[in-house]
């Protein structure tokens, strides 16, 4: 039972108990029934609105890569936005911050591999391009051997942001 339906039934029961204290049982039952019907209608309306809002936000997400990128645990979409900000802000300077980008790069690459739509796969690769560039830079010497500090070259993230917006539209279609 949904939380809103349960709440509606509790409210209807409360009204019935209140009504029983001063009116005869038949009137109380009628009022409780009316309150329950009204509460159920309200719960159904809320459920319908919630489903419509969810569809508006996520579309049908028929491609498994869309589900992986936008919906699954700690959505990759949110993590990609954070990682782009970290790259732009020069915050990828140590193993901990690099490890997050490296893992993200691998997960987006895996999502692209499971895409059933070629456009979705292509957009995921474009989203992943700055993260792939970070991994490549670190693997090719952007990390100081002595201090472990990472110094990345300038990496453009604008195309990745645009691709993510396009992917969201494609996944909602």
């Amino acid at each position: 039972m949904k939380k809103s339906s349960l709440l509606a039934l509790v409210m209807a029961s409360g009204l019935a108990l209140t009504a029983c204290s001063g009116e005869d049982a038949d009137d109380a039952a009628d009022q409780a029934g009316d309150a329950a019907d009204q509460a159920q209608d309200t719960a159904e309306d809320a459920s319908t609105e919630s489903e419509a809002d969810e569809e508006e936000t996520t579309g049908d997400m028929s491609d498994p890569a869309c589900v992986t990128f936008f919906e699954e645990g700690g959505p990759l979409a949110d993590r990609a936005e954070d990682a782009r900000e970290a790259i732009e802000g020069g915050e990828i300077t140590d193993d901990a911050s690099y490890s997050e980008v490296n893992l993200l790069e691998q997960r987006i690459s895996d999502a692209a591999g499971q895409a059933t739509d070629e456009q979705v796969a292509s957009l995921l690769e474009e989203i992943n391009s700055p993260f792939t560039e970070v991994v490549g830079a670190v693997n090719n010497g952007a990390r100081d051997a002595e201090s472990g500090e990472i110094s990345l070259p300038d990496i453009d993230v604008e195309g990745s942001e645009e691709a993510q917006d396009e992917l969201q539209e494609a996944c909602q279609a």
Side-chain angles (χ1 to χ4, degrees):
M1 178 176 281
K2 291 188 175 185
K3 188 170 25 173
S4 58
S5 298
L6 181 61
L7 179 61
L9 290 175
V10 169
M11 290 174 53
S13 298
L15 287 173
L17 291 173
T18 302
C20 286
S21 66
E23 297 180 24
D24 69 3
D26 289 337
D27 288 342
D30 289 343
Q31 287 180 353
D34 292 345
D37 290 343
Q38 184 178 9
Q40 183 64 30
D41 290 344
T42 301
E44 288 172 3
D45 290 346
S47 175
T48 302
E49 287 175 18
S50 175
E51 289 170 9
D53 289 345
E54 186 175 318
E55 284 179 18
E56 220 173 84
T57 303
T58 61
D60 70 2
M61 296 288 172
S62 60
D63 194 300
C66 292
V67 173
T68 297
F69 190 76
F70 288 106
E71 295 180 359
E72 288 184 356
L76 296 177
D78 295 340
R79 293 176 55 199
E81 288 176 22
D82 292 343
R84 283 191 297 265
E85 287 177 16
I87 291 169
E88 281 187 309
E91 298 170 20
I92 311 298
T93 59
D94 57 17
D95 283 335
S97 58
Y98 167 70
S99 292
E100 289 182 34
V101 173
N102 186 24
L103 180 59
L104 177 64
E105 191 272 340
Q106 292 172 26
R107 295 216 32 228
I108 293 174
S109 182
D110 289 345
Q114 64 177 272
T116 57
D117 182 305
E118 192 172 310
Q119 179 189 13
V120 169
S122 176
L123 288 168
L124 283 166
E125 289 171 7
E126 180 63 29
I127 290 166
N128 209 18
S129 65
F131 315 131
T132 302
E133 196 171 336
V134 167
V135 171
V138 170
N139 288 339
N140 292 315
R143 180 183 304 148
D144 183 88
E146 289 181 25
S147 69
E149 187 173 332
I150 297 172
S151 298
L152 295 174
D154 286 337
I155 296 175
D156 183 21
V157 298
E158 190 173 313
S160 175
E161 290 177 55
E162 292 169 0
Q164 187 164 330
D165 290 340
E166 288 179 43
L167 179 64
Q168 188 165 7
E169 290 177 19
C171 288
Q172 290 178 344

